[in-house]
Amino acid sequence: MGIRSIENNTVAKRIILGALEKEKLSYSIILKGTISDTYFMAIQIAKALNCNSPELDSCDMCDSCIKIERNVHPDVIVEEPEGSFIKISQIRRLIEIAPLRPMIGKKRVFIIKEADSMNEEAANSFLKTLEEPSSYSHFLLLTKNPEKILPTIRSRCLQIEIFSEKDSFIEKFVKKGFPERNAYFFSTLFENDFEMALSYDMERILQRREIVFKIIKNIMDREYLNAMDSLLSEIKIGKNVTRAEWNEDIDIFLKIILTFMQDFIKLKVGDKNAIANSEFLEKMEELKERLELEALIRIIERIEFLRASLERNVNQSLFPYILFIELKEGLNVKGSN
């Protein structure tokens, strides 16, 4: 069975096949889902990358596909925890062979099961490999809990949700009558939790997304007063709002910012197949050259830190100013036109 033959996971198939067609499949991918579902998809990706047929997808009949299916292909390597953790000795083995040419196939594919179980030493070592990817190798990180993976690793990976159930978030979203063009944004924002998405005012979130992009552009154009005014308007303390409600509201606002930062990273590395804010694609393309990849990664790390600080009762009055400083430092690395 090739990728096209999988009945569900429409979005995942579109992203993967689109990237394969352009020969731009990310060298590092997080597959989120159950162990069995993500491993099944990882094997299909490995076959497609190494299939001997001229087709885009795997044929399931050539020697390469058969070897991968039987888990005897020397260029498809599967790692899983030894005990409770994936240890640095395991990662070092991968690092040693990742830069080498494949033995018999077209690509080396490293499938790491339960990737969130890497201990700190292993994760830091693995990060160095992602910073200097080899054109011969692809890493597929399988996990049910991508949030437990080191943020600096996550920021360098394309994340794809693999569903067990028939209807994915996107399909449910469209069936409810919502426009498909917004589906991937909401699935990213709510981490494919459709019921949670329904509990929010989606129109209001789309309005806030417009405001977030305006803030980003204002900062990049050094229109700081306009950016600050927008932040103060969005991050305000209401008299009839509890602390928990304020935290939840600000967390959504920060997550919207994260979707843009993640999109900019994808555009910087040439990946247009999984853009959450696709309606802003043309405008983001214009801005991306003024941004540094490392600065974007730092912004993501700082935003994640600010999200965590909400639980520690961060000062509400100071919060918009703190957020402004973090965005300003990251978004003006190359200056502005």
Side-chain angles (χ1 to χ4, degrees), residues 266-287:
K266 291 168 188 173
L267 292 176
K268 291 290 287 184
V269 299
D271 181 8
K272 297 182 184 179
N273 293 299
I275 301 299
N277 299 286
S278 56
E279 297 96 314
F280 296 82
L281 180 59
E282 187 175 337
K283 295 177 181 178
M284 287 192 293
E285 286 274 26
E286 294 173 2
L287 297 176

Side-chain angles (χ1 to χ4, degrees), residues 138-161:
H138 290 267
F139 289 92
L140 306 179
L141 282 62
L142 317 185
T143 177
K144 289 189 289 186
N145 303 296
E147 67 279 0
K148 293 183 180 179
I149 294 175
L150 199 68
T152 43
I153 291 178
R154 290 204 313 268
S155 64
R156 288 169 170 81
C157 296
L158 170 63
Q159 184 170 314
I160 301 174
E161 178 99 359

Side-chain angles (χ1 to χ4, degrees), residues 250-267:
I250 300 307
D251 189 56
I252 289 292
F253 188 73
L254 294 177
K255 287 173 71 175
I256 295 171
I257 296 174
L258 284 175
T259 67
F260 278 107
M261 297 304 112
Q262 290 159 351
D263 281 351
F264 276 125
I265 287 175
K266 291 168 188 173
L267 292 176

